[in-house]
């Protein structure tokens, strides 16, 4: 595991949340991107070395819509940069963590990603991400 690549925040509406984070970070949103497989629209900000990823659901049955229904808007996941996602997934599996996807999948921002079940990480959803080459 390397640095915290980004922090994911679930929001009801990107059009409401983007101006708030632009003011907060004093930086413009540099990219918005839809991830159809995850039923989300994302918006990215830079904050030093780390990014902030806002996530808005595009479907009332999507994971982000369900999350907000249960817990409200707020911190959704922490994403760590990894050098080799397959090696890291194998290592974590051996340590007893439960992977939410057995094969790395396409995430936003040209990344391959894997999520760890929050049940085994003190309630925090963890994302591994590796820059796609
Ligand atoms: Zn993420």
């Amino acid at each position: 595991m390397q640095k915290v690549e980004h922090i994911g925040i679930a929001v009801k509406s990107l059009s409401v949340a983007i101006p708030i984070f632009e003011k907060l970070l004093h930086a413009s949103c540099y990219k918005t991107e839809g991830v159809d497989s995850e039923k989300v629209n994302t918006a990215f900000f830079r904050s030093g070395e780390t990014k902030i990823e806002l996530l808005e659901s595009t479907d009332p049955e999507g994971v982000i819509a369900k999350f907000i229904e249960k817990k409200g808007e707020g911190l959704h996941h922490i994403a760590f940069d990894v050098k080799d996602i397959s090696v890291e997934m194998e290592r974590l599996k051996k340590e007893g963590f439960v992977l939410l996807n057995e094969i790395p999948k396409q995430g936003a921002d040209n990344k391959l990603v894997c999520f760890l079940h929050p049940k085994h990480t003190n309630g925090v959803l963890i994302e591994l991400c590796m820059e796609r080459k």
Side-chain angles (χ1 to χ4, degrees), residues 6 8 53 77 79 115 127:
H6 66 267
E53 173 187 39
H77 64 270
F115 288 93
E127 175 185 346

Side-chain angles (χ1 to χ4, degrees), residues 3-63:
K3 67 171 184 184
V4 173
E5 211 281 334
H6 66 267
I7 293 172
I9 296 171
V11 303
K12 284 184 187 158
S13 157
L14 283 185
S15 58
V16 172
I18 287 172
I20 294 170
F21 278 81
E22 287 186 327
K23 272 185 241 169
L24 175 72
L25 301 169
H26 203 234
S28 301
C29 168
Y30 70 91
K31 175 156 84 174
T32 56
E33 184 184 348
V35 185
D36 292 342
S37 58
E38 302 292 304
K39 298 175 177 154
V40 293
N41 286 322
T42 63
F44 284 89
F45 299 82
R46 284 199 179 82
S47 175
E49 287 264 294
T50 304
K51 297 168 188 161
I52 302 287
E53 173 187 39
L54 303 181
L55 301 138
E56 167 198 76
S57 190
T58 56
D59 182 324
E61 294 300 307
V63 287

